[in-house]
Amino acid sequence: MDAVAQEQEFVDDAYSLLEAQIRHLSERMESIARAPSTGTPQDLLERQALHDSLAQQLASATAARNRLCFGRIDHADGLVQHIGRVGLRDETGEPVLLDWRAPSAAGFYQATTVDPMGLVSRRRIITRDRTVTHTEDEDLSDPTAIAVDAAAESIAAPRQGRMGDIIATIAADQDRIVRSPLNRVTVVQGGPGTGKTVVALHRAAWLLYTHRDRLARDGVLVVGPSHAFLRYIDQVLPSLGETDVVLLTPGDLYPGVSADLPDSAAAAAVKGDLVMAKVIARAVRARVRVPAHDVAIRLDDGSTVTITAGQLADARKGVPRNGTFHGNREPFLKRALDHLARNRAAQRGEDPSDPDIRLSHLQDLVEEPAVRRVLNLMWLPITPERLITLLLTDAPTLARAADGLLSPAQQSAILRAPGSPWTIDDAPLLDEAADRLGEFIRPSAAAAREHTDYAELHVEDPLARHRPTSTLAERAVADRDWVYGHVVVDEAQELSRMAWRALARRCSRRSMTIVGDLQQTTHPAGARDWNEALSWAGDHVDLHTLTVTYRITEQTADTATELLTAAGGDAPILHPIRQGAPTELLATTRTLLAETILDRVEQEAGRVGVIVPDSTAADLMALLGDQDPRFGIGDDAIDAPIAVLTARDTKGLEFDHVFVVDPDAITRQAARGADVYVACTRATQTLHLVDLEESLPT
């Protein structure tokens, strides 16, 4: 029996086991769903946890229907193991298929002829649907054998519009990063096309498999540079059977806000700087307006009750030093009300030390609108949205909070008209304000009547994190205080210092995978080195560098580097392993731009990216979109045959053929040529630089 027939027989048997497993998991979930919703809270929690576990197993098994088995390793001791998307056992419990994330599968990725890791051979099994088309064998016992570069072969295939998994082609250096420890900040730096993104996503899948008990409770957060990028990668983890993942951009870091609008460079530089944390802290403290004098309050019955300056100072003194604004408001109000109740009792000749007498007066005072108004003005509640809106639209408010921290020019840079939409760099400011303010629970009069606290205490629902009606991802994204088990950050060089601060709150366990190239940063407040960006992580940081680029050809790398260095930038170290066509220089007019692109596109297979300058993006997108339906803009760009995007929105994406329109304008729009470098390095096959002229010479 030849290798293809042999592996086809194995694959058929494996699919039979997989379908049986899917049926079994589905039946168990249906049984849980039919069970009565009765029992103690603990019973319900355990039932939901079991349901979530089965749902995850079912997702993994269902995803494995696509290319179930892709490899085989032969050990020196005669053991043969097949590698696939999930682990499978036969009816007797014997292992049949090894999950690619299992420790014993590492040799499939990392073994070499120099270090065979106990293997004598490796076989790659290539399938179409469920049919084995061919196999590729490597003799690991022969040091002279030529290794099969599966990663290079896979990148040469036409793009499909969305990033796919690379579990069959992970390179040895990439696999070592994928399998690095959980409780570390793993930084992967490298130039374009080195596989940083796919390494980060496969690392998330490996962690969810290896540390399922922990991460299934808390989930994984993936932060990408744009919504276009998130759409591009959104099928990778589901295709690996992982669904406990939240995908956000920096503009989504505050629940309820999804900002795509960038700020001007001047505004972004100010908003992204850590000085804004001090400005916000001042603005929050300014909401505390406790007088230094006696305050008389006229009640509805015409009488007056007074709280003295000393009593107000005592109420302030009872506030915890490290509490939030709204959290500290409660103890202040309780002590102030207690003083008022004592004073009211003394006015009436009653014993103020008698708790029943004080309670009676407290209940009456809480019902008084004047008391509520006066005390509220001393410690005035506010939402994060309102606080940041005041800072960014009201010049006197900003001036008071920023005095000595921001120059008049910096204040002017971030001031805007009321009603302006939220921007990307507003989200970290909102998160900072929410962190300083804390949660505000509106008080009720009934609480005082029942002798509970004046400001209602927040009692956590024991089932809140396990609602059967919502997924873990849905619960996490709606909860600003959610702490994720692991956080993945892609294109990390685009995060401002304030954005890093917001992310650190969501990853207090300091378990992160961070990928990027700091030399490509375009954010005016972006970090220039990893120590600066990750100072909060202490000594938990492990740095890895990838230099082999699988995506871009040597010719494209040379063009991108030339444009970058001419603009004053520093190019990362790149080792392209592929040769390609020379960069084509084109000249056309705006009206002929679509025709010029389509003429070239019709000669080539694959997906196309058209990258336009920020300054003319709206006009060019409208022009191209109107001329031919194949041009996709906005939300439709990623799924269109020809995507029209700005350089910022192409970060992390790749196309077979790229047209960089008006490269001079794209070079000028970002410091040190970072945007034109990004634009050029999106190409896997051909690169075209398109100059726009008023008219073409006859």
Side-chain angles (χ1 to χ4, degrees):
M1 184 182 296
D2 65 16
V4 170
Q6 180 185 35
E7 299 304 347
Q8 184 66 64
E9 183 177 320
F10 175 85
V11 167
D12 290 342
D13 290 342
Y15 270 111
S16 296
L17 289 174
L18 177 68
E19 295 302 332
Q21 180 173 311
I22 290 173
R23 288 193 298 272
H24 174 68
L25 290 169
S26 299
E27 289 168 0
R28 290 191 65 189
M29 289 184 65
E30 290 174 5
S31 175
I32 292 175
R34 289 194 300 267
S37 299
T38 57
T40 66
Q42 185 60 36
D43 292 337
L44 295 177
L45 283 172
E46 291 176 357
R47 184 181 304 165
Q48 184 61 40
L50 176 58
H51 182 275
D52 289 348
S53 175
L54 293 172
Q56 182 57 60
Q57 293 176 56
L58 181 60
S60 297
T62 303
R65 283 170 164 161
N66 176 30
R67 209 166 38 142
L68 172 60
C69 175
F70 52 80
R72 164 180 151 169
I73 49 179
D74 289 30
H75 295 255
D77 61 6
L79 175 65
V80 174
Q81 293 177 303
H82 282 81
I83 314 296
R85 289 176 172 271
V86 293
L88 293 174
R89 294 178 179 272
D90 62 19
E91 294 82 355
T92 66
E94 287 298 311
V96 172
L97 187 65
L98 191 62
D99 192 298
W100 69 275
R101 295 166 289 191
S104 50
F108 178 75
Y109 302 103
Q110 298 182 19
T112 64
T113 55
V114 176
D115 179 16
M117 300 176 65
L119 305 181
V120 294
S121 66
R122 168 171 48 215
R123 172 176 289 174
R124 300 185 189 278
I125 303 170
I126 295 84
T127 59
R128 180 178 292 114
D129 295 327
R130 300 190 179 191
T131 301
V132 178
T133 59
H134 62 286
T135 62
E136 297 169 348
D137 290 329
E138 291 179 76
D139 184 357
L140 297 173
S141 64
D142 181 4
T144 65
I146 299 175
V148 175
D149 197 333
E153 291 182 1
S154 67
I155 203 66
R159 307 298 93 196
Q160 299 299 316
R162 301 294 181 96
M163 178 178 284
D165 68 69
I166 59 163
I167 52 175
T169 60
I170 297 173
D173 57 344
Q174 296 173 330
D175 190 66
R176 282 187 284 271
I177 298 171
V178 167
R179 297 173 191 268
S180 53
L182 170 67
N183 294 317
R184 304 288 296 175
V185 176
T186 299
V187 178
V188 187
Q189 67 177 8
T194 53
K196 303 183 299 295
T197 298
V198 289
V199 166
L201 294 175
H202 285 72
R203 172 162 166 73
W206 179 84
L207 289 171
L208 283 162
Y209 169 86
T210 307
H211 304 279
R212 177 72 64 192
D213 289 346
R214 170 171 159 181
L215 296 184
R217 294 193 308 270
D218 302 324
V220 170
L221 169 64
V222 176
V223 179
S226 66
H227 289 108
F229 172 82
L230 295 183
R231 290 189 68 187
Y232 178 63
I233 68 166
D234 65 6
Q235 297 305 309
V236 177
L237 287 167
S239 74
L240 298 172
E242 301 299 347
T243 57
D244 293 336
V245 179
V246 173
L247 304 179
L248 299 176
T249 70
D252 300 330
L253 287 177
Y254 183 76
V257 169
S258 183
D260 281 317
L261 185 67
D263 279 290
S264 67
V270 179
K271 290 183 180 180
D273 195 280
L274 289 178
V275 71
M276 286 303 298
K278 297 180 180 179
V279 173
I280 291 169
R282 275 194 189 171
V284 171
R285 287 196 298 271
R287 306 292 295 180
V288 179
R289 303 162 184 170
V290 180
H293 55 75
D294 295 355
V295 175
I297 305 173
R298 186 173 182 81
L299 306 180
D300 282 350
D301 64 1
S303 63
T304 300
V305 62
T306 299
I307 185 169
T308 68
Q311 289 172 332
L312 288 171
D314 175 73
R316 277 291 303 269
K317 198 178 298 181
V319 170
R321 290 183 177 273
N322 58 350
T324 64
F325 174 83
H326 288 133
N328 288 346
R329 181 175 182 269
E330 179 188 336
F332 168 78
L333 293 177
K334 287 173 62 178
R335 292 173 75 97
L337 280 167
D338 186 67
H339 284 305
L340 282 171
R342 288 174 181 272
N343 294 349
R344 187 68 165 163
Q347 273 183 332
R348 297 189 172 186
E350 299 167 345
D351 181 5
S353 64
D354 187 318
D356 292 331
I357 292 175
R358 287 206 313 277
L359 174 59
S360 175
H361 288 299
L362 176 64
Q363 292 170 340
D364 291 340
L365 290 168
V366 167
E367 299 283 2
E368 287 282 348
V371 171
R372 286 176 172 272
R373 182 173 58 253
V374 168
L375 293 185
N376 265 333
L377 289 174
M378 294 182 186
W379 208 291
L380 195 59
I382 191 171
T383 65
E385 293 87 341
R386 179 60 180 159
L387 183 77
I388 298 303
T389 295
L390 283 173
L391 278 175
L392 299 181
T393 62
D394 186 72
T397 299
L398 177 60
R400 287 191 294 271
D403 183 37
L405 297 174
L406 298 178
S407 68
Q410 289 175 313
Q411 294 178 41
S412 177
I414 63 175
L415 280 171
R416 65 190 184 207
S420 298
W422 295 117
T423 67
I424 296 168
D425 283 298
D426 289 339
L429 303 187
L430 289 163
D431 194 72
E432 182 73 25
D435 192 64
R436 293 277 181 178
L437 289 170
E439 186 177 8
F440 173 59
I441 305 297
R442 188 171 298 280
S444 70
R449 284 195 297 271
E450 297 167 6
H451 201 202
T452 57
D453 294 336
Y454 171 71
E456 290 181 274
L457 294 176
H458 176 62
V459 180
E460 185 175 359
D461 180 351
L463 300 179
R465 290 166 69 95
H466 297 276
R467 290 291 185 207
T469 55
S470 63
T471 66
L472 180 143
E474 290 169 339
R475 297 192 295 270
V477 78
D479 185 352
R480 198 200 70 84
D481 295 322
W482 193 282
V483 176
Y484 292 89
H486 191 75
V487 173
V488 175
V489 185
D490 204 337
E491 299 292 341
Q493 72 275 1
E494 294 308 311
L495 290 187
S496 70
R497 295 168 180 83
M498 286 299 292
W500 279 115
R501 188 174 170 92
L503 274 182
R505 296 188 189 101
R506 287 155 177 76
C507 195
S508 59
R509 298 184 182 93
R510 294 185 290 188
S511 175
M512 301 182 79
T513 301
I514 297 168
V515 301
D517 177 10
L518 292 180
Q519 294 179 9
Q520 292 186 56
T521 183
T522 59
H523 197 293
R528 299 303 177 208
D529 63 69
W530 293 118
N531 289 331
E532 179 184 347
L534 304 174
S535 57
W536 53 271
D539 61 357
H540 279 63
V541 179
D542 295 327
L543 178 63
H544 305 265
T545 302
L546 298 175
T547 60
V548 176
T549 177
Y550 300 93
R551 181 174 72 218
I552 61 178
T553 65
E554 184 175 341
Q555 289 75 11
T556 293
D558 289 344
T559 299
T561 298
E562 181 180 343
L563 292 173
L564 178 68
T565 54
D570 298 318
I573 298 173
L574 284 182
H575 299 299
I577 63 173
R578 298 169 53 238
Q579 296 293 315
T583 299
E584 183 181 24
L585 305 179
L586 300 171
T588 189
T589 64
R590 288 168 52 89
T591 54
L592 294 176
L593 178 58
E595 181 181 334
T596 301
I597 293 171
L598 291 172
D599 283 345
R600 296 302 191 283
V601 168
E602 289 169 357
Q603 303 170 19
E604 304 283 358
R607 297 194 68 254
V608 178
V610 178
I611 304 175
V612 296
D614 292 348
S615 57
T616 56
D619 290 342
L620 290 177
M621 287 177 179
L623 176 70
L624 295 172
D626 288 343
Q627 290 189 8
D628 195 288
R630 285 173 287 182
F631 290 101
I633 61 175
D635 292 340
D636 298 325
I638 287 299
D639 296 315
I642 307 175
V644 187
L645 298 161
T646 64
R648 181 178 69 87
D649 285 336
T650 64
K651 286 182 180 291
L653 309 187
E654 58 185 41
F655 302 92
D656 295 286
H657 312 287
V658 168
F659 293 80
V660 179
V661 179
D662 199 350
D664 289 344
I666 295 177
T667 298
R668 292 191 299 269
Q669 72 190 24
R672 300 179 300 281
D675 274 0
V676 77
Y677 186 74
V678 168
C680 290
T681 55
R682 301 309 95 195
T684 66
Q685 304 297 335
T686 65
L687 173 64
H688 312 267
L689 303 183
V690 186
D691 285 329
L692 288 183
E693 302 177 357
E694 292 298 323
S695 62
L696 292 176
T698 58

